[in-house]
Every structure is written in C-alpha cells, then in structure tokens.
Amino acid sequence: MTERAGRRCCLGWDFSTQQVKIVAVDAELNVFYEDSVHFDRDLPEFGTQGGVHVHKDRLTVTSPVLMWVQALDLILEKMKASGFDFSQVLALSGAGQQHGSVYWKTGASLVLSSLSPTLPLHQQLQACFSVRDCPIWMDSSTTAQCRQLEAAVGGARALSCLTGSRAYERFTGNQIAKLFQQNPEAYSNSERISLVSSFAASLFLGRHAPIDYSDGSGMNLLQIQEKVWSQACLGACAPNLEEKLGSPVPSCSVVGAISDYYVQRYGFPPTCKVVAFTGDNPASLAGMRLEEGDIAVSLGTSDTLFLWLQEPMPALEGHIFCNPVDAQHYMALLCFKNGSLMREKIRDETASGSWNKFSKALQSTEMGNHGNLGFYFDVMEITPEIIGRHRFNAENIEVSAFPGDVEIRALIEGQFMAKRIHAEGLGYRVMPKTKILATGGASHNKDILQVLADVFGAPVYVMDTTSSACVGSAYRAFHGLAGAAGVAFSEVVKSAPHPSLAATPNPGASHVYEALLPRYAELEQRILSQAQRPLQ
Ligand SMILES: O=C(CO)[C@@H](O)[C@H](O)CF
C-alpha cells in the first residue's frame, strides 16, 4: 500500500453545546478531514439533552466538564483509528461555547503537566475540578448578581461602555459571583477559572491556558478598550478573582507548544503550536472571513448577526467583543429570538405550509409593501424586548390583519429592517464594499435573500458554515503561525474558498428602504413605550 503522503495542516476544534467537532485544513486552506463526537449520542452515561442538564428551577443550566474531556479522548481515538497522520499538524486552535466557566481544583496544574500517555485524559483528570457541572450560556439564574454588578459600576449603560455589554445572566462574571455566594468552598478551592475555550486549550497545552480578548469580552469583566480586567467588575463579583483568571492575551497569540502527552500518545510533532482558543461566535466570524463593513446573518431558529466594527458603540442591547482577528477592531453580536420559528409560523398560517407559496408571495409584492409594516414576535424578543404581533398601514394606523401576501412581505421586510436598525445602533454602517454573508436554514431561500439584499442595499453571499467555528479556528491556527511575521489574517486566508453571490439589490431599493427604516424605528419605539406604560 503506498504511503499516504503526509499533508501538513492545522486543526480547528469546536467545543460547542451539543458536540466536539474537528476539522483539518491543509496549506491550501482546503478542509480534508472532519469528525465529531455528539454528547447525547456518544456519551449517554452523562444523561444530557442537547448536551446540557436543565435543572428543576428551569433557570440553572449546566454541562458536565468530564463529558467534554471524555469527548476529546473519543475523537482523538477515532482520528487515530482512521489513520490520521498527526505528525503533519503544524498548529491547532479552537473555539468553545461562549460564557461557560470551568473551575480547576487546587493541584490540577500538577496533574495537567504530568499526564501519562498510557491513559486517556478523563481517567487522569477525574479529581481536577472543584465544580463538576459547569454553568453554560443557556443559564439564566443570575439576575440578582447582574443587578449587583450593574449597581457596583454605575448602572447598565456604564457596564456596557466598560465591558461591551450590560449585565447578562449567562455572562461569566455573574456566574462566578453566584458560585462564590452559594458555594464559597468550591470557589476558594479553585486554583484557576477558565472559559470553555481556554479550558479546551489547557487540555492541549498541559497547563492553564490564558483567556483571549475576544471570548473574554463575553464575561462582563474585561475592559474592551484597554483589554485588561476591570478591577471594579472583578471586585463586585468575587475576591482574589484576577489571580484565578490569569492575564488575558490577544486572540492570535501562540500560547505554547502541544503537551508531550499528545506527542507520545498520538504522534503530534513536539513543535506543534497551540494558538489561543476563543468563543464560537468570534471563531465563526473568522471562518466566514468577515472584513470591515461586512455583516454575517445566521438565519437559524434565532437569527444572529455578526458585525465587524472599527469603533464600538456599546448599547443596552447586543454585545461588543474584541475582534478575534484584528486586535485594534471589534465585533458585535445581535441575537433576534423570533427567527425561523416565526417564519415557519407565518408560512403555515398564510402559505399553507409551503415555502414555494411563501416565495411566490414575496415575488408578487413590491419592495416597501405599499407602506405596510409588521412586527412579529410570538416569543419575547431579545432585540428589542417586545412580544406579540403589531401591524401598521401606510398612515401608521395599527390594523389587525394584512392580506396573505402582504403579511409575508411585512414579516420578512420587518425582520431585516430590525436587523439593519439595531446594527446601526451599535455603530455599524453599510459601506460601498459591504458584503452580507448569509448562513443557516433560511439562507437557502433566494427570495428571502433578495429582500435582505434590498433592505441593506448590499449584495448577499452564501457559504456553507456548518463548521464555521472549526474552520475559523484552523484559519486562526495558520494566522498564529504567521503572526510572528506580522501578517494580517486576511492575507493568511486570501486563498480560502470564496462564498457565492446569491442576491444583489434591486434598482431603487435604497430609495424605498431609506424612507421606510425611520418609520419602522419610530413604530418600534411606539410599541416599546406602550408595553412599558401600564394600560390607562
Ligand atoms: O450566548 C451566546 C452568544 O452570546 C451563544 O451564541 C453561545 O456562544 C453558543 F454557544
């Protein structure tokens, strides 16, 4: 059998909510290996659903840290069994679900640095965690801690200006505060607190890996302009917290060489570099190769917007993180809860459940919908906090219903006008070179993408980002290798596969929507103020 020529490559990992995924990317930036371990399916002994445990209070949500460790053992064994040539790995990086926290027990670093290559990780790390069930991003049990933190720094807006976000229940600082208040012994017995991303990097490094600026921006603890921990926020959450976190580092940092454990057990070269891991969303921004002025729209169950920002304008909604591929810039994240579930509901009610009929309705109605505007929030929306359906005619008079085709266009135009308005609220501006990158289920519907292009006045591209966080992590590993030479990330990834053009704005689109957008914003404010004012 001919020797399979070694393929020099970088690895990109994603420790996400439901699985651990890996891709191998060669020097031509082609993905040639993918694998994954699903927590529910492959590690049923942990009893998770969707990779998590939702506690009886319906607010607390955790995941077992040893499940994540064992998943890494499994995926490496699968790669070894498949004949993957680890000796060709130049560097690796990765991503983790944002905001989750891992609590390393005092003494863990000694175990991490002296792992026996004859045993799997999970057998050796059993006693290394002071908290075995880690709080993750789906947790919403820390409202009290959020209010305490905002009060300590001068309010929600002050906290947002300092850390990029007002206090959110899932953000790590508030989770650490809750642990300190409710389990002070576990807190004091923790020598290190990691994010999921830096925890995963620590497994490869054989010692505690630092938190990177970008994922660290999701903690309500990092001053995003100065890139240092906020002493006021640290002090408000828990004592001696800075020494447990360690110093944050630029996301492109090479944090060390791979632990000898992987050299001996799997055949990695001792020269394999570990590049700082980051959050899944920052890694996805890298995987989609977003550039300044671009906007990524993930049209999933909930819709998520990633924006590249030069200058942040922290607000009381959305999040601003340090940019994972350019330390001078930022990224913004906006979550819209009423995404595909709302589109499917209106499709079922108005197009007999048919996407074909849904598309025909968009084709048969004109841009601007004759001034009819709709707001469709069947679950409490995050951006902004509104619930219910609200329809307005061209005279801004609220009406109870629209004809079917008008309803469908009002839904889609409204969803995309909201995205543009709230993105611009965070400092985003459509630029002549702006590209919109659409991903997620609805990005397969070209009529929906046509409305997206019209509302933003920019071309829409599509790319398969099933593993954008993994691919972005592999790209970042290559960038970390080139970092010493000061090479820009865009230069490192310029030969990567390009997204394909899906829609360009119709003639006259800018004129139509630049007239409609202010009306939409005013009506949104009207609904908000009515919701906040008790009925007369
Ligand atoms: O909370 C989030 C972002 O702020 C989620 O997108 C998690 O990162 C998902 F893992």
Side-chain angles (χ1 to χ4, degrees), residues 14-18 96-100 136-138 165 168 170-171 215 218 279-282 302 304 306 319 321 333 335:
D14 183 15
F15 285 68
S16 70
T17 312
Q18 302 189 29
Q97 52 176 300
Q98 290 192 262
H99 318 304
I136 64 158
W137 67 279
M138 294 166 66
S165 301
Y168 283 89
R170 67 188 193 279
F171 276 41
D215 207 16
D280 56 349
N281 293 296
S302 59
T304 306
F306 303 144
H319 314 291
F321 304 138
L333 186 78
C335 297

Side-chain angles (χ1 to χ4, degrees), residues 61-380:
V61 184
T62 60
S63 290
V65 59
L66 286 168
M67 177 180 76
W68 296 335
V69 174
Q70 200 163 335
L72 179 56
D73 284 325
L74 277 183
I75 206 165
L76 286 166
E77 293 303 329
K78 283 173 79 176
M79 294 176 77
K80 190 174 176 181
S82 75
F84 186 85
D85 184 357
F86 291 101
S87 71
Q88 301 299 308
V89 179
L90 300 168
L92 63 87
S93 188
Q97 52 176 300
Q98 290 192 262
H99 318 304
S101 44
V102 175
Y103 301 83
W104 296 90
K105 190 184 282 186
T106 304
S109 52
L110 295 177
V111 177
L112 261 181
S113 59
S114 55
L115 293 167
S116 160
T118 61
L119 294 171
L121 290 167
H122 75 279
Q123 284 182 19
Q124 303 185 70
L125 298 180
Q126 281 292 330
C128 287
F129 302 98
S130 49
V131 174
R132 295 171 74 86
D133 295 303
C134 300
I136 64 158
W137 67 279
M138 294 166 66
D139 184 285
S140 54
S141 65
T142 60
T143 303
Q145 290 73 19
C146 286
R147 299 294 79 79
Q148 288 158 9
L149 178 58
E150 287 177 345
V153 299
R157 190 167 293 278
L159 183 64
S160 178
C161 290
L162 200 58
T163 68
S165 301
R166 64 173 171 80
Y168 283 89
E169 281 73 5
R170 67 188 193 279
F171 276 41
T172 324
N174 307 302
Q175 293 291 337
I176 294 169
K178 174 189 167 189
L179 179 80
F180 169 65
Q181 293 166 15
Q182 298 184 2
N183 190 346
E185 190 182 340
Y187 178 78
S188 62
N189 201 15
S190 302
E191 70 176 15
R192 186 75 174 220
I193 300 174
S194 298
L195 292 175
V196 175
S197 56
S198 54
F199 146 79
S202 304
L203 296 180
F204 288 103
L205 204 52
R207 56 182 162 78
H208 295 313
I211 289 171
D212 79 297
Y213 292 158
S214 196
D215 207 16
S217 311
M219 300 172 77
N220 277 150
L221 293 175
L222 186 76
Q223 292 181 203
I224 58 168
Q225 303 262 17
E226 299 80 6
K227 278 94 172 157
V228 297
W229 299 123
S230 156
Q231 293 305 317
C233 292
L234 294 175
C237 289
N240 316 313
L241 183 47
E242 183 160 17
E243 65 196 60
K244 295 179 191 288
L245 294 175
S247 301
V249 298
S251 305
C252 62
S253 306
V254 173
V255 293
I258 199 164
S259 157
D260 191 53
Y261 173 79
Y262 299 88
V263 175
Q264 301 301 327
R265 188 173 175 88
Y266 296 105
F268 280 86
T271 54
C272 173
K273 296 287 184 287
V274 178
V275 176
F277 284 35
T278 191
D280 56 349
N281 293 296
S284 286
L285 178 134
M288 289 188 265
R289 295 187 300 143
L290 227 57
E291 295 178 313
E292 189 189 333
D294 289 347
I295 187 167
V297 186
S298 173
L299 298 171
T301 307
S302 59
D303 291 346
T304 306
L305 249 65
F306 303 144
L307 309 166
W308 179 301
L309 291 176
Q310 262 205 345
E311 280 308 318
M313 280 172 58
L316 292 179
E317 62 184 18
H319 314 291
I320 300 212
F321 304 138
C322 297
N323 190 295
V325 298
D326 182 329
Q328 307 307 314
H329 291 173
Y330 297 85
M331 71 172 278
L333 186 78
L334 277 169
C335 297
F336 297 83
K337 210 166 192 179
N338 291 272
S340 289
L341 288 180
M342 199 64 241
R343 291 186 283 272
E344 286 158 16
K345 267 190 175 181
I346 297 297
R347 174 204 64 189
D348 294 347
E349 293 167 10
T350 314
S352 332
S354 154
W355 284 120
N356 196 27
K357 285 186 179 174
F358 192 95
S359 283
K360 285 193 172 6
L362 292 174
Q363 293 159 16
S364 65
T365 47
E366 62 181 57
M367 290 187 293
N369 214 10
H370 297 296
N372 294 301
L373 292 174
F375 300 77
Y376 299 82
F377 308 123
D378 281 11
V379 295
M380 176 55 81

